[in-house]
């Protein structure tokens, strides 16, 4: 009986560590232009804020017109003042339409995460 209790306790501790680790990954916290929003003017850059500090060498952001061509942009750079923020400068203004932003990052805990979101530039 004692042994079973010990095992259960160990399992509970292991589980709580697993949950903590999952929450420690870098996920997208917010973006400019905002996730799912419509903006009137083309942004000159995208700004992605993550829940953790980012390792720029292993991180990247691409933007494409929905079902269409990739939009030329500079490589994503980490904000000097806030290493949770990536800046991606667009080389041309965006024409009206919906765009998909696809990101992958490695956070300082070495975990890799990725995702995508859309935003729209109104006509
Ligand atoms: Cu992590």
């Amino acid at each position: 009986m004692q042994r079973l209790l010990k095992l259960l306790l160990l399992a509970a501790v292991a589980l709580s560590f697993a949950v903590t680790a999952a929450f420690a990954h870098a996920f997208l916290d917010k973006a400019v232009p905002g996730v799912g929003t419509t903006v009137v003017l083309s942004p000159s850059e995208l700004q992605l804020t993550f829940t953790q500090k980012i390792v720029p060498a292993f991180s990247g952001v691409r933007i494409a017109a929905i079902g269409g061509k990739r939009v030329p942009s500079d490589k994503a750079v980490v904000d000097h003042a806030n290493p949770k923020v990536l800046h991606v400068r667009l080389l041309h203004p965006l024409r009206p339409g919906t765009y998909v932003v696809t990101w992958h990052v490695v956070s300082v805990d070495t975990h890799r995460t990725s995702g995508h979101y859309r935003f729209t530039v109104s006509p």
Side-chain angles (χ1 to χ4, degrees), residues 21-26 52 107 109 111:
F23 279 112
H25 299 345
Q52 258 196 348
S107 58
D109 70 0
H111 295 140

Side-chain angles (χ1 to χ4, degrees), residues 14-28:
L15 190 66
S16 69
F17 272 117
V19 169
T20 310
F23 279 112
H25 299 345
F27 290 109
L28 185 66

